């Protein structure tokens, strides 16, 4: 197969796809991957050909400013404006080559519009929870409810008139259901009764991504319990939180690896205790292989990676789907959740120690770990994609 993969410029959307890209290319399929230049090495190492953004799309990503700050409508507005900017580029790429299938990110790829425009199957790549409905009540999608909502309807109408296609509902745009869909977790963890096979393929997390070189030596941990702390790669300006972590675990019998991101400096934390390793970046996958507890922002990708290795989590959600992820962890007894704003050293330490001692949570994490390993090690996702394309061609 000749496949076009469409994505954007965020770790949480691209990293989950890399394992799938590698499996596709290893099976002899050709994959062209459209994304920002910062991920060009990642995708080419997986065997794909990289296709970069135009200056126009780069400019949009840098200059976009929301018309208001409503959490849901701001996301919808961004999705729609991104779709409007990216669709001409995708269609130009398609003119230059004959593709058997397009796989596009559910937020960054315009799947809802593409499947009406192109004559090949459009598969949606869901880097977070796949949803069968919007997370807001229907009354909030009625025109006139909010000025930013009305702006979304204006963009939607403009896109559909440009391509002379039927106007989908905003719910259809948001849920972004393709002709087929890929979700990078288990069906159980996804937790939406309206999302099920065969329309959705549950592929498990990707652990194929390239990590920056790091002289990490975990032999210093010895027999101690290892606590891993990271708030991801975007919202990391939490200096007080990092100081709270040091206060909570200073000179304890635990060894702590703490990644603080690029918005704080290690020097701002004062003296680092001997049982701490603190850096702006740490190789997450390597640490998760050995970690006993993960204190996390509850990003969907990070959580799935931790579950792959059977690591219980203390979730400290901040934005977007992180609150949903944290609730899912708690409801499935895979971890605990706290507010980062109300966290004291005493609470942080007691919650972490409770997780270390909780045998039920550890058993549940190991159970879902086995399920995820079965999914990621299986060739079923690639086989089902190939079969889907063959069936599509026969039907057409």
């Amino acid at each position: 197969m000749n496949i076009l993969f469409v994505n954007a410029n965020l770790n949480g959307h691209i990293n989950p796809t890399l394992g799938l890209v590698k499996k596709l290319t290893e099976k002899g399929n050709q994959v062209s991957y459209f994304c920002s230049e910062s991920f060009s090495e990642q995708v080419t190492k997986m065997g794909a050909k990289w296709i970069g953004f135009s200056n126009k799309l780069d400019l949009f990503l840098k200059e976009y400013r929301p018309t208001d700050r409503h959490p849901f409508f701001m996301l919808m507005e961004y999705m729609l404006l991104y779709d409007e900017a990216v669709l001409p580029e995708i269609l130009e790429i398609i003119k230059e080559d004959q593709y058997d299938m397009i796989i596009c990110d559910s937020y960054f790829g315009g799947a809802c519009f593409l499947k009406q425009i192109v004559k090949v199957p459009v598969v949606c790549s869901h880097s977070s929870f796949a949803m069968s409905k919007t997370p807001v009540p229907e009354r909030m999608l009625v025109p006139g409810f909010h000025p930013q909502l009305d702006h979304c309807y204006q963009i939607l109408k403009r896109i559909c008139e440009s391509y002379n296609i039927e106007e989908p509902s905003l719910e259809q745009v948001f849920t972004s259901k393709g002709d087929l869909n890929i979700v990078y977790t288990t069906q159980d963890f996804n937790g939406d009764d309206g999302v099920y096979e065969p329309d959705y393929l549950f592929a498990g997390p990707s652990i194929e991504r390239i990590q920056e070189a790091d002289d990490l030596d975990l032999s210093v941990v010895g027999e101690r319990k290892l606590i891993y702390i990271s708030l991801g790669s975007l919202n990391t300006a939490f200096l007080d939180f990092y100081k709270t972590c040091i206060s909570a675990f200073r000179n304890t019998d635990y060894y702590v690896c703490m990644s603080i991101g690029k918005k704080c400096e290690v020097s701002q934390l004062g003296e680092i205790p001997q049982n701490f390793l603190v850096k702006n970046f740490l190789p997450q996958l390597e640490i998760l292989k050995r970690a006993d507890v993960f204190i996390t922002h509850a990003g969907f990708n990070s959580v799935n990676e931790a579950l792959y290795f059977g690591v219980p989590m203390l979730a400290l959600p901040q934005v977007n789907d992180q609150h949903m992820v944290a609730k899912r962890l708690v409801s499935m007894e895979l971890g605990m959740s706290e507010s980062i704003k109300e966290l004291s050293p005493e609470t942080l330490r007691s919650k972490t120690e409770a997780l270390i001692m909780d045998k039920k949570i550890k058993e549940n994490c190991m159970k879902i770990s086995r399920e995820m390993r079965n999914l990621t090690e299986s060739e079923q996702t690639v086989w089902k994609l190939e079969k889907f394309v063959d069936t599509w061609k026969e039907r057409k």
Side-chain angles (χ1 to χ4, degrees):
M1 293 189 296
N2 191 15
I3 301 161
L4 176 63
F5 216 120
V6 179
N7 217 318
N9 63 341
L10 297 174
N11 283 290
H13 289 256
I14 291 176
N15 285 341
T17 71
L18 297 175
L20 175 61
V21 171
K22 185 178 181 182
K23 286 179 181 176
L24 284 166
T25 56
E26 285 177 345
K27 288 290 185 180
N29 299 292
Q30 294 180 322
V31 180
S32 297
Y33 205 117
F34 175 84
C35 64
S36 67
E37 187 176 5
S38 56
F39 290 93
S40 58
E41 182 184 3
Q42 291 267 38
V43 300
T44 54
K45 289 273 187 177
M46 297 299 129
K49 171 190 171 185
W50 171 67
I51 302 175
F53 291 164
S54 72
N55 292 335
K56 184 178 178 182
L57 187 53
D58 252 337
L59 198 63
F60 164 76
L61 290 167
K62 291 172 184 174
E63 294 187 349
Y64 164 73
R65 298 293 181 273
T67 59
D68 207 327
R69 305 297 298 185
H70 186 283
F72 180 73
F73 300 143
M74 184 166 62
L75 176 59
M76 283 299 316
E77 181 181 65
Y78 186 77
M79 284 176 66
L80 286 161
L81 287 172
Y82 185 90
D83 287 349
E84 187 174 38
V86 80
L87 281 169
E89 301 209 10
I90 298 171
L91 296 176
E92 279 300 313
I93 293 168
I94 292 170
K95 283 181 184 177
E96 296 174 8
D97 207 340
Q98 185 68 42
Y99 293 100
D100 299 298
M101 174 172 59
I102 300 172
I103 305 177
C104 55
D105 185 77
S106 58
Y107 285 176
F108 306 109
C112 194
F113 306 109
L114 267 181
K115 64 183 184 179
Q116 293 193 64
I117 301 170
V118 299
K119 296 180 179 179
V120 295
V122 174
V123 176
C124 224
S125 168
H126 295 265
S127 60
S128 184
F129 291 115
M131 301 183 195
S132 59
K133 56 187 177 182
T134 55
V136 297
E138 289 183 14
R139 62 182 177 81
M140 286 182 62
L141 297 178
V142 176
F145 180 85
H146 191 283
Q148 196 168 22
L149 171 67
D150 291 341
H151 186 225
C152 291
Y153 278 116
Q154 290 169 16
I155 307 164
L156 179 60
K157 183 177 181 181
R158 196 164 65 220
I159 293 172
C160 294
E161 287 179 348
S162 296
Y163 297 101
N164 193 28
I165 57 176
E166 185 179 338
E167 190 172 311
S169 67
L170 280 184
E171 181 166 82
Q172 288 173 317
V173 175
F174 180 79
T175 56
S176 199
K177 185 178 181 181
D179 298 312
L180 189 64
N181 303 271
I182 302 168
V183 193
Y184 303 98
T185 189
T186 65
Q187 185 171 352
D188 195 20
F189 189 70
N190 189 73
D192 187 321
D193 292 338
V195 171
Y196 46 81
E197 295 183 332
D199 292 345
Y200 292 83
L201 306 181
F202 296 91
S206 169
I207 56 164
E208 299 287 352
R209 61 189 171 90
I210 303 164
Q211 300 204 82
E212 294 175 27
D214 191 278
D215 56 349
L216 184 69
D217 180 11
L218 292 179
S219 64
V220 297
V221 180
E223 298 298 316
R224 290 177 286 185
K225 298 291 185 183
L226 174 57
I227 299 168
Y228 174 46
I229 303 168
S230 173
L231 298 180
S233 58
L234 289 178
N235 301 313
T236 58
F238 286 87
L239 188 62
D240 288 343
F241 165 72
Y242 302 131
K243 289 180 177 179
T244 297
C245 292
I246 290 175
S247 296
F249 303 113
R250 177 189 296 275
N251 302 327
T252 62
D253 291 332
Y254 307 113
Y255 191 82
V256 182
C257 292
M258 186 163 71
S259 173
I260 64 171
K262 298 178 181 179
K263 296 177 181 178
C264 297
E265 293 301 328
V266 177
S267 59
Q268 294 176 278
L269 297 172
E271 182 186 354
I272 306 299
Q274 289 188 343
N275 64 321
F276 269 73
L277 173 66
V278 183
K279 291 192 176 185
N280 296 102
F281 168 85
L282 286 168
Q284 180 158 296
L285 296 179
E286 289 304 309
I287 296 173
L288 285 174
K289 289 176 184 177
R290 173 66 178 77
D292 294 281
V293 172
F294 181 20
I295 299 171
T296 172
H297 63 309
F300 191 80
N301 197 29
S302 290
V303 164
N304 276 290
E305 289 173 355
L307 292 176
Y308 180 90
F309 291 109
V311 183
M313 280 165 277
L314 176 59
L316 308 173
Q318 301 161 37
V319 295
N320 301 332
D321 63 346
Q322 293 167 12
H323 296 283
M324 294 175 62
V325 175
K327 287 178 182 177
R328 196 78 188 123
L329 283 172
V330 172
S331 69
M332 293 184 69
E333 294 186 84
L334 299 165
M336 301 178 184
S337 182
E338 272 292 330
S339 168
I340 194 170
K341 295 176 183 177
E342 301 170 5
L343 206 59
S344 67
E346 294 74 23
T347 303
L348 179 60
R349 183 169 173 176
S350 65
K351 287 277 185 180
T352 304
E353 290 179 336
L355 275 173
I356 290 172
M357 298 296 291
D358 196 314
K359 293 182 179 179
K360 179 64 175 175
I361 286 179
K362 183 61 179 179
E363 286 173 7
N364 291 340
C365 288
M366 293 309 297
K367 179 175 180 288
I368 199 169
S369 171
R370 290 190 291 271
E371 293 170 4
M372 287 187 165
R373 288 170 186 267
N374 288 337
L375 285 174
T376 56
E377 291 166 10
S378 167
E379 302 297 332
Q380 285 294 303
T381 303
V382 171
W383 178 79
K384 287 176 180 178
L385 284 171
E386 292 172 340
K387 186 177 180 182
F388 175 73
V389 170
D390 289 341
T391 304
W392 174 280
K393 289 178 178 178
E394 291 170 7
R395 194 169 67 240
K396 293 298 178 180

